[in-house]
Amino acid sequence: MWDDVASVPHVGLARWADLIIVAPATADLLARAAIGRADDLLAATLLTATCPVLLAPAMHTEMWEHPATRANVETLRSRGVQVIEPAIGRLTGGDSGPGRLPEPTELMRLVEASLQPTVRDLEGRTLVVSVGGTREPLDPVRYLGNRSSGRQGFAVAERAHTRGARVTVVRAHVEVPTPVGLQVIDVETAEQLHRVMLAEQAGADVVVMAAAVADFRPESSAATKIKKVDDQEPDPVILVRNPDVLMDLVRDRRDGQVIVGFAAETSASTDDLLALGRAKITRKGCDLLVVNDVAGERVFGQPVNDAYVLSRSEDGPTLLAHVSGSKVEVADTILDEIAKRLPARSG
Ligand code: CTP
């Protein structure tokens, strides 16, 4: 860069590239890119680039989780840089945790997905997507919660937005940053989620229930913290049923509206998983059901997913697709099926 200043290599490289991927992206590189340093060829090229940029972080877990790195990642993402989640596994030096560079095949998949021209096939459509896990209070400090990082729901929302849709996210508790460009309504409990989803359904072309909703809530929530008393057994917690949001959305469905449910199941085999999925789509009555096997930490909080997409039809449930890949790829497969089902627009 400094030997051949006249040819400005960083400008040449940045203009020539269709996409830039930095793999591995160190904590130091993330920090330097976030503040816009330009003191070596890589940093200067990143600062000049207008093409898509993909950063694949790799570092020790402590560095990845440090607030400084978290802030840098958020800054980069807010500018449209795709900072992917590192894999969880063996790190340099022998310890393990989040921070491992994803496998080259996974990186290649992301590169290919980033280079796909984006079809704006959802232009003018309105999507409502619920994400995250609800929390049902027991007392002011405790709750019954449902596991869900929000990643898959956010991927659907983000890709729908990129494909032209107006997207409202109804956000329960999530563990990852919310993508930019979406309208957000926060909720805490299943009952709040129920109220907001039914209200938002009225103006929506598509409703996606990606949230993990608590089926039960404590009958009452104590006004003050429940204290333990020596030598006394705790009071049992009485649970009552929550409404089934998805079934009520299906009941109130308006003409042409597409309703999508998710099913997180634990099963011994793919056949069992699909049997559970078929029974669930029939019971819930939604148009599409995305089924995944969540046994053994394979899905929750991970950037990748392995999902089956089922549809409801007159002859019974049909398996439309099996997609194994990033949550973005799963989101695109779901949106492809949604787009096929939307009625053509008049005028
Ligand atoms: N769901 C909902 N309201 C509930 C429970 C679930 O809207 N009270 C939605 C979820 O958002 C998801 C779908 O229903 O889209 C399936 O959720 P799941 O927890 O798999 O189904 P359940 O009805 O809880 O069935 P089961 O407990 O028998 O597995």
Side-chain angles (χ1 to χ4, degrees):
M1 181 167 162
W2 311 117
D3 291 346
D4 187 13
V5 173
S7 75
V8 267
H10 60 287
V11 176
L13 274 173
R15 288 193 185 149
W16 168 79
D18 294 310
L19 173 137
I20 299 177
I21 173 164
V22 185
T26 60
D28 181 63
L29 185 276
L30 296 178
R32 290 170 356 92
I35 55 169
R37 293 289 293 257
D39 54 352
D40 65 14
L41 184 60
L42 177 56
T45 305
L46 288 173
L47 199 60
T48 318
T50 53
C51 63
V53 174
L54 238 160
L55 304 180
M59 63 197 72
H60 264 76
T61 306
E62 293 84 343
M63 295 173 97
W64 174 245
E65 290 176 350
H66 194 283
T69 306
R70 306 308 318 149
N72 291 333
V73 168
E74 211 159 312
T75 301
L76 290 162
R77 283 181 175 157
S78 72
R79 291 186 198 135
V81 174
Q82 198 184 340
V83 185
I84 68 167
E85 293 292 314
I88 299 170
R90 182 95 189 262
L91 306 171
T92 314
D95 37 350
S96 68
R100 187 181 157 83
L101 187 69
E103 294 305 311
T105 46
E106 168 65 5
L107 296 177
M108 270 314 292
R109 254 207 299 264
L110 292 170
V111 166
E112 279 160 12
S114 301
L115 290 173
Q116 291 297 322
T118 301
V119 230
R120 292 189 56 91
D121 57 348
L122 296 174
E123 192 85 62
R125 308 288 191 172
T126 303
L127 251 91
V128 180
V129 185
S130 68
V131 300
T134 61
R135 290 180 164 183
E136 312 295 319
L138 257 175
D139 70 13
V141 294
R142 304 185 182 93
Y143 58 83
L144 291 181
N146 267 50
R147 286 184 73 181
S148 171
S149 67
R151 268 200 188 88
Q152 186 60 73
F154 280 151
V156 171
E158 189 171 28
R159 289 300 299 158
H161 174 66
T162 308
R163 289 167 71 155
R166 211 165 30 216
V167 182
T168 299
V169 164
V170 180
R171 180 174 66 184
H173 179 78
V174 294
E175 287 162 10
V176 293
T178 302
V180 287
L182 315 173
Q183 199 196 322
V184 177
I185 304 173
D186 279 317
V187 295
E188 180 88 9
T189 63
E191 284 182 303
Q192 288 168 3
L193 183 86
H194 183 252
R195 204 164 41 244
V196 173
M197 288 304 288
L198 266 72
E200 291 298 311
Q201 171 182 34
D205 297 302
V206 182
V207 186
V208 180
M209 276 298 298
V213 188
D215 287 321
F216 309 101
R217 65 177 182 278
E219 186 178 38
S220 60
S221 166
T224 53
K225 187 180 172 192
I226 301 167
K227 305 294 283 182
K228 57 183 169 306
V229 182
D230 283 346
D231 305 324
Q232 200 176 304
E233 288 298 314
D235 287 338
V237 175
I238 311 287
L239 298 176
V240 294
R241 283 286 285 264
N242 272 329
D244 190 307
V245 185
L246 183 58
M247 283 172 86
D248 287 353
L249 289 165
V250 169
R251 182 198 61 202
D252 293 357
R253 177 209 320 254
R254 55 164 223 221
D255 267 359
Q257 190 168 57
V258 178
I259 301 182
V260 184
F262 274 73
E265 306 286 358
T266 52
S267 64
S269 69
T270 306
D271 283 350
D272 288 354
L273 183 73
L274 291 175
L276 290 170
R278 289 196 176 93
K280 194 163 281 183
I281 194 171
T282 306
R283 182 161 53 85
K284 301 258 183 181
C286 49
D287 301 287
L288 298 171
L289 187 75
V290 184
V291 188
N292 30 65
D293 188 351
V294 293
E297 307 289 316
R298 254 180 302 186
V299 169
F300 288 127
Q302 301 289 332
V304 292
N305 203 349
D306 189 64
Y308 295 85
V309 183
L310 301 181
S311 74
R312 193 176 49 87
S313 67
E314 273 164 23
D315 314 326
T318 313
L319 174 62
L320 299 176
H322 172 211
V323 44
S324 187
S326 69
K327 287 188 174 174
V328 169
E329 283 178 88
V330 174
D332 270 327
T333 306
I334 299 165
L335 292 169
D336 290 345
E337 293 301 334
I338 289 173
K340 285 183 207 161
R341 283 167 175 74
L342 285 169
R345 310 210 65 145
S346 53

